[in-house]
Amino acid sequence: MAHGSEGRVSRGCKLPLLHLHVSLPLLLFLWHSPPSASSLHVKMAGTTQTVLLNDNATIFCQVCGDPSPNITIMGVTWFWKNPGSATEVKLFEFFGGQQMTGRPGAMVPLKSLESGNASLQLPGIQLREAGEYRCEVVITPHKAVGQVKLEVVAFPVSSLFPEQAIVKEKQETLILCMSSGFHLDNITITWKKLSQKDPQEVFEGIITNHTIENGMFNVTSFLMLKPSLEDNMTIYQCVIYHKSLPTPQKLNFTLTVIESEKTAWSLNNFFYIGVSLSLAVILLIIYLLKKARPQTCPLSCVLKASSQNTQTYTAETEELK
């Protein structure tokens, strides 16, 4: 499937079919005859067409002009050339009712060809199949040729680590934004700070590394932070731009900032000192209240004294007798 605006093609050159019957020898003669002047031409998908890796790609070629398409007297041939080679490879050919394929699955549906659509279908497109494609159409004795450059791209798979973190103020924190498995190294990664105020792009503390593995590109962007308490609950966003993406990828990271150990220790000390002073004041008040209260003999003391007086009176009575 085509990707992006470069893959669109005009459908404004469909013409009525012309039904003719010619013999195969005459068709062969006309095929190899020099092309005569005509308005026959083909329209391609611009100069460059982009498709995604492993997609079922359709390379556009629309037959326009005069004479009108007629599969009984027309032929279509598709060629492919690797950018690093000067030799063309024939991928598909339709001529005289016969089809030949030089690549598994390559085809031009005859039903589409009847309406002038000579687009080549390639299932499961691979990176190695990028290059120059040439569409050659002959409606005997006329001939038209179109060419397009095909780019095969793989979109990046991105991740953010970590997605959220709790850090102490002034503590250095590293955020990683990774994109891997893509083709064509035209990728851009930016960082944004989505605070309660207006979002702003981050330019400082960023390091970006690029690597290639098995022909696929990987990129890692590091963002170094040293937050203050004002940065608590701030969202940092990693934004990835790539040709294969219709819209940028956006990954968010939430930062939670807590007080440092030194600040927490000081606050804890103030708390414990305050509690200790409060307890000391309360104990002092209790002590002073007890000291100021008049000394009275409790009931047990009175009973004890009464008992002793009774015993003394009894003893004195016994002596008088």
Side-chain angles (χ1 to χ4, degrees):
M1 169 172 272
H3 179 79
S5 60
E6 293 175 330
R8 299 193 184 98
V9 64
S10 172
R11 303 293 183 182
C13 51
K14 292 183 179 180
L15 299 173
L17 300 179
L18 180 63
H19 298 284
L20 297 175
H21 299 281
V22 292
S23 63
L24 183 59
L26 178 60
L27 186 62
L28 290 172
F29 170 77
L30 294 174
W31 178 270
H32 294 287
S33 300
S36 60
S38 72
S39 63
L40 182 68
H41 62 281
V42 294
K43 286 187 176 182
M44 312 297 287
T47 57
T48 302
Q49 186 176 336
T50 304
V51 296
L52 291 176
L53 175 66
N54 296 319
D55 267 9
N56 295 329
T58 299
I59 308 175
F60 295 104
C61 179
Q62 184 72 30
V63 183
C64 304
D66 186 54
S68 302
N70 186 336
I71 61 174
T72 61
I73 58 170
M74 72 181 297
V76 175
T77 308
W78 275 96
F79 300 91
W80 168 75
K81 185 176 71 172
N82 187 289
S85 173
T87 304
E88 282 188 328
V89 177
K90 186 182 293 186
L91 298 180
F92 175 85
E93 183 178 47
F94 169 78
F95 171 68
Q98 303 296 318
Q99 299 185 47
M100 185 280 295
T101 59
R103 189 268 199 197
M107 66 175 298
V108 175
L110 296 184
K111 196 70 177 176
S112 299
L113 192 58
E114 289 177 352
S115 60
N117 184 0
S119 301
L120 177 67
Q121 297 182 4
L122 297 175
I125 195 77
Q126 297 299 301
L127 295 175
R128 63 178 179 274
E129 296 183 281
E132 295 180 357
Y133 284 77
R134 185 163 65 90
C135 174
E136 184 178 286
V137 176
V138 173
I139 302 178
T140 53
H142 310 290
K143 181 178 180 179
V145 177
Q147 185 171 296
V148 66
K149 180 182 178 182
L150 186 72
E151 288 185 345
V152 182
V153 301
F155 61 84
V157 178
S158 304
S159 59
L160 193 67
F161 180 82
E163 293 182 359
Q164 57 184 358
I166 300 176
V167 300
K168 298 171 183 176
E169 62 172 326
K170 305 303 180 183
Q171 176 185 339
E172 289 188 346
T173 304
L174 193 65
I175 311 175
L176 281 70
C177 186
M178 298 169 285
S179 292
S180 59
F182 60 94
H183 185 62
L184 295 180
D185 190 26
N186 53 345
I187 192 169
T188 302
I189 295 182
T190 62
W191 289 91
K192 290 184 178 180
K193 182 178 180 180
L194 308 180
S195 60
Q196 295 180 352
K197 301 177 182 179
D198 295 333
Q200 51 185 307
E201 192 165 345
V202 180
F203 298 99
E204 297 181 354
I206 299 174
I207 301 175
T208 304
N209 291 331
H210 295 258
T211 59
I212 302 177
E213 184 177 355
N214 298 326
M216 307 300 287
F217 292 87
N218 308 290
V219 61
T220 303
S221 182
F222 302 86
L223 175 62
M224 179 66 72
L225 299 174
K226 196 173 181 180
S228 63
L229 290 176
E230 295 179 353
D231 295 319
N232 184 39
M233 302 309 296
T234 296
I235 297 175
Y236 288 87
Q237 188 177 78
C238 174
V239 186
I240 301 101
Y241 302 87
H242 188 257
K243 187 172 185 177
S244 64
L245 300 173
T247 58
Q249 293 177 349
K250 297 180 180 180
L251 306 175
N252 291 347
F253 166 86
T254 303
L255 183 67
T256 302
V257 185
I258 60 176
E259 296 165 332
S260 63
E261 291 182 359
K262 183 177 180 180
T263 304
W265 181 85
S266 299
L267 291 176
N268 288 336
N269 279 355
F270 283 124
F271 173 77
Y272 290 125
I273 290 172
V275 171
S276 300
L277 289 174
S278 300
L279 289 175
V281 170
I282 293 172
L283 292 174
L284 180 60
I285 293 173
I286 294 173
Y287 172 75
L288 293 175
L289 289 174
K290 284 185 176 181
K291 190 174 181 180
R293 185 180 302 171
Q295 298 297 322
T296 58
C297 185
L299 179 60
S300 60
C301 177
V302 173
L303 292 175
K304 185 177 180 181
S306 176
S307 177
Q308 288 178 351
N309 293 335
T310 302
Q311 291 176 359
T312 303
Y313 173 77
T314 305
E316 290 177 350
T317 305
E318 289 291 336
E319 289 180 358
L320 291 173
K321 288 180 180 182

